[in-house]
């Protein structure tokens, strides 16, 4: 049974509900079409490297081990925000993206710099698939359809933010757990709670914030995992840390942050990623949402360099905040 513990407004609806739409808990001045034009125009002057100019190495991993593993705790970074987490015998996939482009069309839009670090066919039987929001770099139609085919008999649970259930139902996917911020659900294998992020949603020109965006906290026995969706930096992370932490593993975005005047309310900078690691009370974090699609103005390979520079300055031990190679598996002690 779904339960909730979110703040209510005077008319008894949660404060982030506005009619058919959703708003952030720390509202900011939304940027409009002309801001977008200004960004794109300034960008044309900047000589942003083309995606084909990057050569990221693909780490060697062991798909056979991952497929049969139900005892070791592991995390594998497949690329962008896609992770395979194996904890206490439970297999979780986050924001599955295995397609060539982060786009509604597969012939135009941001193209992959590197192939997925694990083929979809090599995934183990999944228990849970987390979806943070409906942007094309996080909710990829082709990947979800193929996952449905490949994992059909196992029928993993899809955890999705409010109003996204229909999108899955339209694909014939029934095993969907749709949660509002601070709502939680307990199953035999895990407990899960949706937490607020500072972001937005849009999948077509006519829809704005009509489906919710979220992060996910999953507890599997004593292990607590926190998956952040896209987000700006707010005091929310201290609150999440206080209410639900400490976390054994956090997955925190580190890329897609320039230019700050355009991005700062919706995407954190690497420095803010490290602040969130501390705010949310993460024992260990890994950096995601980088190195895969050119979405913003910073070089695609810049985030890990900044993270490495800042860690000592911010008193964070080297193995406390980790950036994996594409396809790399880390065994979690
Ligand atoms: Zn997004
Ligand atoms: Zn994103």
């Amino acid at each position: 049974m779904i339960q909730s513990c979110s703040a209510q407004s005077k008319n008894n609806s949660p404060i982030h509900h506005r009619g058919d739409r959703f708003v952030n808990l720390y509202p900011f001045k939304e940027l409009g079409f002309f801001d977008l034009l200004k960004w794109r125009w300034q960008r044309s002057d900047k000589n942003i490297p083309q995606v084909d100019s990057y050569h990221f190495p693909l780490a060697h991993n062991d798909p056979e081990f991952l497929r049969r593993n139900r005892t070791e705790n592991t995390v594998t970074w497949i690329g962008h925000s896609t992770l395979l987490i194996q904890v206490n015998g439970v297999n979780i996939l986050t924001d599955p993206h295995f397609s060539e482009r982060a786009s509604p069309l597969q012939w135009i839009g941001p193209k992959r710099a590197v192939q997925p670090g694990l083929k979809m066919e090599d995934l183990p039987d999944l228990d849970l698939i987390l979806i943070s929001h409906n942007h094309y770099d996080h909710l990829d139609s082709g990947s979800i359809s193929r996952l449905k085919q490949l994992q059909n008999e196992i029928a993993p649970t899809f955890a999705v933010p409010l109003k996204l259930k229909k999108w899955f139902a339209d694909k014939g996917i029934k095993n969907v757990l749709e949660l509002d911020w601070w709502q939680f659900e307990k199953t035999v294998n895990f407990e899960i709670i949706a937490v607020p992020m500072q972001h937005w949603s849009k999948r077509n020109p006519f829809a704005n914030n009509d489906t919710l965006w979220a992060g996910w906290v999953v507890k599997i026995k004593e292990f607590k995992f926190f998956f952040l969706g896209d987000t700006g930096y707010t005091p929310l992370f201290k609150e999440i840390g206080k209410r639900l932490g400490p976390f054994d593993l956090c997955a925190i975005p580190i890329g897609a942050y320039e230019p700050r005047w355009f991005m700062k309310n919706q995407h954190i900078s690497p420095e803010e990623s490290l602040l969130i690691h501390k705010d949310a009370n993460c024992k260990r974090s890994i950096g995601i949402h980088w190195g895969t699609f050119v979405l913003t103005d910073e070089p695609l390979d810049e985030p890990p360099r900044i993270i490495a520079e800042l860690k000592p300055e911010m008193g964070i031990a080297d193995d406390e905040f980790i950036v994996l190679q594409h396809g790399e598996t880390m065994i979690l002690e």
Side-chain angles (χ1 to χ4, degrees):
M1 193 183 67
I2 295 171
Q3 301 180 59
S4 175
C5 49
S6 76
Q8 309 282 308
S9 67
K10 277 183 203 142
N11 65 6
N12 250 357
S13 66
I15 53 173
H16 58 287
H17 291 209
R18 290 284 154 79
D20 290 343
R21 295 178 194 279
F22 300 100
V23 293
N24 283 295
L25 294 177
Y26 292 87
F28 52 85
K29 186 185 163 288
E30 280 183 35
L31 299 172
F33 179 65
F34 288 102
D35 297 299
L36 182 68
L37 278 186
K38 183 178 154 195
W39 169 38
R40 302 312 288 192
W41 180 72
Q42 288 179 348
R43 184 184 165 90
S44 61
D45 258 7
K46 276 191 185 164
N47 251 336
I48 309 282
Q50 296 288 308
V51 68
D52 296 330
S53 66
Y54 295 99
H55 300 283
F56 291 101
L58 214 51
H60 173 79
N61 54 37
D62 186 348
E64 209 186 300
F65 161 74
L66 294 171
R67 265 202 309 273
R68 61 181 155 72
N69 175 36
R70 289 268 169 178
T71 52
E72 300 256 18
N73 293 346
T74 74
V75 54
T76 303
W77 184 49
I78 296 172
H80 205 52
S81 290
T82 310
L83 292 168
L84 170 67
I85 314 275
Q86 304 186 290
V87 169
N88 294 327
V90 173
N91 291 330
I92 303 171
L93 190 69
T94 64
D95 282 351
H97 203 304
F98 294 79
S99 299
E100 191 55 24
R101 291 180 190 268
S103 164
L105 306 163
Q106 282 304 307
W107 52 272
I108 195 166
K111 199 171 80 165
R112 253 178 202 285
V114 53
Q115 288 310 297
L118 195 63
K119 290 196 189 86
M120 209 187 282
E121 292 74 13
D122 286 336
L123 287 168
D125 292 351
L126 297 169
D127 299 285
L128 176 63
I129 300 173
L130 304 175
I131 304 292
S132 65
H133 63 300
N134 75 356
H135 286 153
Y136 285 96
D137 56 320
H138 298 262
L139 180 60
D140 178 59
S141 182
S143 300
I144 301 290
S145 298
R146 183 96 181 100
L147 268 174
K148 178 183 178 263
Q149 280 177 348
L150 290 170
Q151 302 268 333
N152 194 19
E153 280 172 30
I154 305 107
T157 300
F158 283 83
V160 308
L162 218 52
K163 297 281 178 80
L164 261 182
K165 191 172 184 170
K166 188 182 175 303
W167 189 91
F168 286 83
D170 289 348
K171 281 191 177 291
I173 298 174
K174 297 188 184 83
N175 208 9
V176 180
L177 180 62
E178 187 189 73
L179 297 183
D180 198 356
W181 292 342
W182 300 114
Q183 276 189 325
F184 54 97
E185 172 76 270
K186 197 173 177 170
T187 72
V188 189
N189 289 328
F190 53 83
E191 290 174 47
I192 183 165
I193 178 164
V195 291
M197 294 285 119
Q198 184 81 355
H199 199 59
W200 53 293
S201 74
K202 195 178 189 69
R203 220 171 150 80
N204 68 63
F206 313 106
N208 239 351
N209 295 348
D210 60 339
T211 66
L212 192 59
W213 48 99
W216 296 98
V217 172
V218 188
K219 190 173 171 206
I220 313 115
K221 293 191 180 133
E222 291 314 302
F223 191 102
K224 278 196 247 169
F225 169 53
F226 179 16
F227 171 62
L228 279 76
D230 286 354
T231 187
Y233 181 70
T234 70
L236 274 171
F237 295 99
K238 282 194 175 142
E239 188 187 342
I240 293 167
K242 216 180 272 173
R243 283 168 78 160
L244 303 171
F247 299 107
D248 298 284
L249 183 70
C250 294
I252 304 180
I254 59 170
Y257 46 84
E258 290 285 355
R260 293 311 286 149
W261 71 265
F262 193 85
M263 294 296 163
K264 75 173 163 50
N265 289 318
Q266 45 180 317
H267 288 167
I268 46 181
S269 67
E271 185 178 1
E272 289 167 336
S273 311
L274 293 171
L275 282 174
I276 289 173
H277 167 78
K278 290 180 164 187
D279 288 356
N281 207 352
C282 302
K283 292 186 207 163
R284 178 176 263 185
S285 295
I286 65 165
I288 56 169
H289 202 260
W290 75 280
T292 313
F293 300 110
V294 176
L295 303 171
T296 49
D297 291 2
E298 82 278 3
L300 204 50
D301 53 1
E302 182 182 80
R305 292 200 296 273
I306 299 186
I307 292 283
E309 266 169 40
L310 290 177
K311 274 195 284 192
E313 286 173 28
M314 294 174 70
I316 295 171
D318 206 34
D319 62 352
E320 225 181 287
F321 197 110
I322 290 165
V323 181
L324 298 174
Q325 281 188 348
H326 297 82
E328 189 176 351
T329 298
M330 181 169 76
I331 306 282
L332 302 161
E333 280 109 48

